Amino acid sequence: MAVALALACSFAFVLWPVSVGAESASEAQLRAAYLVNFLKYVEWPVGVGGATICIYGRDSLTAPLAAYEGRTIQGREVRIRRISQPEQLADCQEVFVPEADEERYAGLFRSVGRLPVLTVGESPAFVQQGGGVALVRVENRLVFDVNLGAITRSGLRVSPQMLRLAREVVGAPR
């Protein structure tokens, strides 16, 4: 019960309304919090050290993510990096692709292949196109969808608690 309560509190922002229009500072902070919390509920293969969140393309979250730099999650230190090419994915455990960079998806997915990297995008179609998690705004709320097949192919495991909080889970066994 305590685990469920802690999980609910850490993802309480799932129900937090966000502003309509231009992304406000609070929405950027909320997106950053989601990215960090995803690290808590995904298990990487043995031997994968670090908890580096890479921003691939347009930078809208480096500043809000800076507040998490150096914190420890599951015994791993959080680091934030900007990358502009798929070849720079080394040492990334999570890669965030802003919505405006949808044309980069194919190259990213080819480069990530079966590497233990959690891919997170802002487009509603991100999980349909092969991404791991889509962090999207629906009716002034941030929600997330999970592509369990893509995450599993990457050698990662997602906690059942995170799957229960997802708006939609695709690629799950029936």
Side-chain angles (χ1 to χ4, degrees):
M1 184 66 180
V3 171
L5 180 59
L7 179 69
C9 290
S10 69
F11 272 112
F13 44 79
V14 169
L15 302 176
W16 186 342
V18 296
S19 64
V20 178
E23 183 171 271
S24 67
S26 63
E27 182 174 344
Q29 291 168 341
L30 190 57
R31 288 180 185 279
Y34 265 98
L35 292 176
V36 171
N37 275 292
F38 290 151
L39 293 172
K40 295 177 182 178
Y41 299 102
V42 174
E43 183 180 319
W44 276 261
V46 174
V48 174
T52 302
I53 300 172
C54 296
I55 310 297
Y56 180 53
R58 179 180 54 89
D59 180 11
S60 60
L61 294 181
T62 299
L65 281 168
Y68 298 98
E69 182 97 30
R71 289 191 185 177
T72 302
I73 294 178
Q74 296 181 342
R76 299 177 304 146
E77 190 173 347
V78 174
R79 294 284 175 223
I80 311 303
R81 282 184 36 213
R82 282 205 63 225
I83 61 174
S84 58
Q85 300 297 321
E87 297 77 30
Q88 298 171 314
L89 287 167
D91 301 322
C92 295
Q93 282 70 53
E94 181 175 14
V95 177
F96 176 70
V97 185
E99 185 174 10
D101 292 328
E102 285 186 48
E103 65 277 359
R104 294 178 167 223
Y105 292 170
L108 172 69
F109 297 150
R110 276 192 306 276
S111 295
V112 169
R114 293 186 182 271
L115 294 175
V117 176
L118 177 66
T119 55
V120 181
E122 291 182 307
S123 167
F126 190 76
V127 295
Q128 304 300 331
Q129 295 174 1
V133 177
L135 180 56
V136 297
R137 186 191 315 200
V138 175
E139 297 177 6
N140 291 333
R141 301 199 188 289
L142 282 177
V143 297
F144 62 95
D145 298 332
V146 174
N147 181 334
L148 192 56
I151 293 172
T152 302
R153 281 189 298 280
S154 295
L156 307 176
R157 290 179 36 152
V158 178
S159 77
Q161 293 91 347
M162 183 172 160
L163 294 176
R164 281 194 291 276
L165 290 171
R167 177 183 68 156
E168 181 178 358
V169 177
V170 299
R174 297 187 191 273

